[in-house]
Amino acid sequence: MFSPDQENHPSKAPVKYGELIVLGYNGSLPNGDRGRRKSRFALFKRPKANGVKPSTVHIACTPQAAKAISNKDQHSISYTLSRAQTVVVEYTHDSNTDMFQIGRSTESPIDFVVTDTVPGSQSNSDTQSVQSTISRFACRIICERNPPFTARIYAAGFDSSKNIFLGEKAAKWKTSDGQMDGLTTNGVLVMHPRNGFTEDSKPGVWREISVCGNVFSLRETRSAQQRGKMVENETNQLQDGSLIDLCGATLLWRTAEGLSRTPTVKHLEALRQEINAARPQCPVGFNTLAFPSMKRKDVVDEKQPWVYLNCGHVHGYHNWGNKEERDGKDRECPMCRSIGPYVPLWLGCEAGFYVDAGPPTHAFSPCGHVCSEKTTAYWSQIPLPHGTHTFHAACPFCAHQLAGEQGYIRLIFQGPLD
């Protein structure tokens, strides 16, 4: 029998709303995950609700407006329309929701600290020199505390004084029902996949989310003053596989239910051992190849498989076949004479990026990250925002822009000859 107070019993596993996984990291940050700075962040039901919802609107220059802004216990959003006029929207406690904030700032209101992703970077020193385009208080996610635990995303987060300020330059406007709304400088973009996050997924359309959670078509460029058109029939509700772009880092939202259907690290480890147990061989040196353990994912191992990216033939590392006239970067495959890049293969260790539990038969080009065929096919179709006005497909494990006709290749292993 359950006692009525079982709900609040500490031994009960907390409810997980979902997880945010940063694209470009294969299971952890280069120098390891630390505190609020990590490659994935789980959102759990809080012991006590901390959500907020809009309440009173003040037209500024009134004492109430000034009070709302200066009150450290009161959440508010200030829209500066001109030097003479500011509209302040007070927010009040909402006992039905939990709020999680994401941004570059390390101040305490930020639950998940996100820094700019540098494609293929192996250490944080590679990332420090970049002038960040991620907002310090980039966005907030509000989760319903009751089933079905709906999660919604809003642009901008509250700072240490519980304020959000939209300055004179930010795009902002009055809505038809007299409320205010606006966009942040570089914007928060969201893409919901079609058919969920499954082997049948297809990319959706990128949209921009406003401070109040409304959905708009993209601006001409990331920080243009003119907002896009409002998309009436779409919402800011996150679904399994939704992508959130903060202009410098892209996050994948996985629901708790979606994650329960995703392969585990254990499953990926079993697939690695299965490939290695088949003792694939280098067709030229006849030495046995083996994928290194998940822990050693930066150091090239002597048994590491390498691949010719134009044909997919898998070899052990060897020195011949250099095409001197082409910077030595391109090599000729001894099996089929096709000429192209020759790179080591790495297993994709971040299970949250997999759309199915299929065997690791395909590799992204040009980085050599290996995962299932459906997973490579899905990510190769997704245009990810890059910089302030371009989009391109990238490997989810290292954020390298994909190359070649389709961005990935089927691996051709040679089995043992005995």
Side-chain angles (χ1 to χ4, degrees), residues 133 186 189 221-223 245-249 384-392:
T133 43
N186 286 331
L189 309 188
T221 60
R222 227 29 221 252
S223 53
D245 187 81
L246 304 178
C247 195
L384 292 168
H386 179 74
T388 54
H389 51 268
T390 56
F391 288 81
H392 60 226

Side-chain angles (χ1 to χ4, degrees), residues 67-88:
K67 201 167 127 205
I69 296 176
S70 62
N71 182 351
K72 293 267 190 286
D73 298 320
Q74 170 84 56
H75 287 86
S76 66
I77 302 184
S78 313
Y79 301 84
T80 306
L81 302 179
S82 65
R83 289 211 179 132
Q85 201 188 20
T86 299
V87 174
V88 179

Side-chain angles (χ1 to χ4, degrees), residues 116-348:
D116 295 68
T117 305
V118 175
S121 78
Q122 294 299 330
S123 74
N124 286 347
S125 57
D126 301 347
T127 64
Q128 291 311 322
S129 54
V130 186
Q131 181 60 49
S132 181
T133 43
I134 300 174
S135 165
R136 291 174 52 244
F137 298 91
C139 68
R140 58 199 194 279
I141 290 175
I142 303 272
C143 301
E144 300 278 342
R145 288 173 64 85
N146 297 312
F149 306 117
T150 307
R152 296 179 181 278
I153 183 164
Y154 300 82
F158 293 98
D159 63 18
S160 297
S161 317
K162 298 191 174 169
N163 291 324
I164 291 173
F165 288 102
L166 292 184
E168 264 184 274
K169 286 204 172 70
K172 54 194 150 346
W173 57 93
K174 228 192 195 91
T175 59
S176 51
D177 56 0
Q179 300 290 324
M180 291 298 300
D181 200 359
L183 304 174
T184 53
T185 308
N186 286 331
V188 172
L189 309 188
V190 171
M191 186 206 85
H192 306 302
R194 291 176 303 155
N195 312 330
F197 196 70
T198 62
E199 45 189 79
D200 304 318
S201 292
K202 290 278 175 281
V205 181
W206 283 100
R207 302 291 192 205
E208 180 162 10
I209 303 295
S210 73
V211 172
C212 295
N214 292 309
V215 182
F216 293 86
S217 61
L218 300 189
R219 293 180 260 183
E220 295 255 315
T221 60
R222 227 29 221 252
S223 53
Q225 294 262 295
Q226 194 55 45
R227 69 174 191 261
K229 286 195 174 64
M230 189 159 174
V231 185
E232 298 280 356
N233 57 348
E234 290 180 25
T235 74
N236 62 338
Q237 188 175 324
L238 295 174
Q239 58 188 62
D240 194 32
S242 291
L243 287 168
I244 301 165
D245 187 81
L246 304 178
C247 195
T250 308
L251 315 178
L252 171 70
W253 167 257
R254 297 300 314 270
T255 59
E257 191 196 344
L259 285 169
S260 68
R261 295 191 299 265
T262 294
T264 57
V265 172
K266 232 190 202 135
H267 176 79
L268 299 183
E269 176 58 30
L271 291 174
R272 178 185 83 87
Q273 292 179 6
E274 205 174 304
I275 282 196
N276 290 352
R279 295 181 39 233
Q281 283 193 339
C282 175
V284 177
F286 302 121
N287 47 320
T288 302
L289 308 174
F291 278 100
S293 86
M294 301 265 193
K295 303 255 186 311
R296 302 195 47 198
K297 50 175 190 248
D298 305 325
V299 190
V300 179
D301 191 87
E302 58 187 279
K303 287 181 150 185
Q304 189 119 6
W306 285 62
V307 68
Y308 285 91
L309 285 175
N310 274 355
C311 56
H313 283 117
V314 177
H315 288 68
Y317 182 71
H318 50 77
N319 272 325
W320 66 83
N322 261 337
K323 290 282 161 211
E324 292 309 332
E325 68 276 16
R326 316 181 77 168
D327 317 333
K329 280 211 181 73
D330 283 350
R331 306 276 286 261
E332 181 176 274
C333 171
M335 298 292 284
C336 66
R337 322 282 324 236
S338 76
I339 292 168
Y342 175 60
V343 300
L345 291 173
W346 304 97
L347 276 180

